[in-house]
Amino acid sequence: MKKTGQGYVRIIAGTLRGSKLPVLDQVGLRPSSDRVRETLFNWLQPNIQGRKVLDLFAGSGALGFESVSRGAAQVTMLEQNAEACALLVSNQKRLKVDNLEVVQLESLQWLKNTPASGFNLVFLDPPYGFLHWAELWSALLLKTVSNALIYIEIGSNDDCLMPADVVILKQGKTQQSNYLLTQWKNTVID
């Protein structure tokens, strides 16, 4: 199954546990490490069942597929790279996941032009050096419920310019990245 130029990530737990997701060898596509994903989903485990999930920079799809595997009600994945998007659709069919939507479009464009809303779990793992945070936060506010959990993964030297009404619940770092679980301040969970 291994192809030249591709690696794989595995789904860690849930109904799709052990399933392999191919990762394209392309600039800017870098899936979260197994350790970071395991930490994130340990944080989320009591709060993932039944969630409406938005993965704005899907890449390999590891975060979205892991969410489905662990009981998310619906997952929408955005990916602008055509080849990566085709691979996401192929994985969706191969894994027989019907509560997942894959959209090939740039994330900010989708946020500004789609009526979809009500997301209560959002993954923000853009390419390192992403510069459009203010615009992203403004558009994202209209798509989420007030108690939305928002996971952010950025390069170790990047800043995601969080609005004042977003609070950090948990955080960690690796040599290459910082990762945070956040929530809108007025409805923080325990």
Side-chain angles (χ1 to χ4, degrees):
M1 191 171 178
K2 186 162 175 67
K3 298 176 184 174
T4 306
Q6 276 187 338
Y8 293 90
V9 294
R10 286 187 187 271
I11 297 175
I12 299 166
T15 59
L16 300 174
R17 180 181 183 192
S19 298
K20 291 180 178 180
L21 299 174
V23 178
L24 296 176
D25 185 15
Q26 292 189 351
V27 174
L29 282 174
R30 42 144 198 85
S32 301
S33 72
D34 287 351
R35 184 179 73 99
V36 169
R37 280 187 296 112
E38 186 169 4
T39 299
L40 167 62
F41 283 96
N42 284 340
W43 292 344
L44 290 173
Q45 193 52 44
N47 298 295
I48 198 158
Q49 189 74 30
R51 292 276 177 163
K52 186 175 178 184
V53 178
L54 176 60
D55 186 352
L56 281 174
F57 303 91
S60 70
L63 298 176
F65 282 107
E66 190 77 44
S67 297
V68 166
S69 183
R70 293 176 184 240
Q74 175 64 39
V75 175
T76 301
M77 292 197 286
L78 278 284
E79 177 54 54
Q80 72 177 6
N81 179 292
E83 194 175 356
C85 195
L87 193 53
L88 292 171
V89 171
S90 173
N91 285 331
Q92 177 187 16
K93 290 176 184 172
R94 178 176 57 83
L95 297 173
K96 298 179 174 92
V97 176
D98 60 1
N99 59 337
L100 184 141
E101 176 186 19
V102 177
V103 179
Q104 183 185 345
L105 199 60
E106 192 274 329
S107 295
L108 284 171
Q109 184 180 357
W110 184 87
L111 283 170
K112 291 176 182 177
N113 296 313
T114 185
S117 65
F119 295 99
N120 49 18
L121 176 57
V122 178
F123 297 119
L124 300 177
D125 186 7
Y128 290 164
F130 181 75
L131 299 174
H132 305 284
W133 285 102
E135 192 177 358
L136 184 137
W137 284 111
S138 177
L140 185 60
L141 180 61
L142 303 173
K143 303 297 180 194
T144 57
V145 298
S146 62
N147 64 345
L149 294 171
I150 302 168
Y151 170 74
I152 306 159
E153 187 171 338
I154 57 176
S156 57
N157 296 318
D158 293 345
D159 186 353
C160 60
L161 305 172
M162 286 188 305
D165 59 346
V166 172
V167 65
I168 297 171
L169 301 176
K170 301 196 183 257
Q171 60 187 328
K173 65 182 194 173
T174 67
Q175 204 169 29
Q176 293 82 27
S177 67
N178 294 318
Y179 53 99
L180 310 97
L181 182 61
T182 69
Q183 187 173 44
W184 302 121
K185 190 187 299 186
N186 59 355
T187 54
V188 176
I189 61 170
D190 293 325

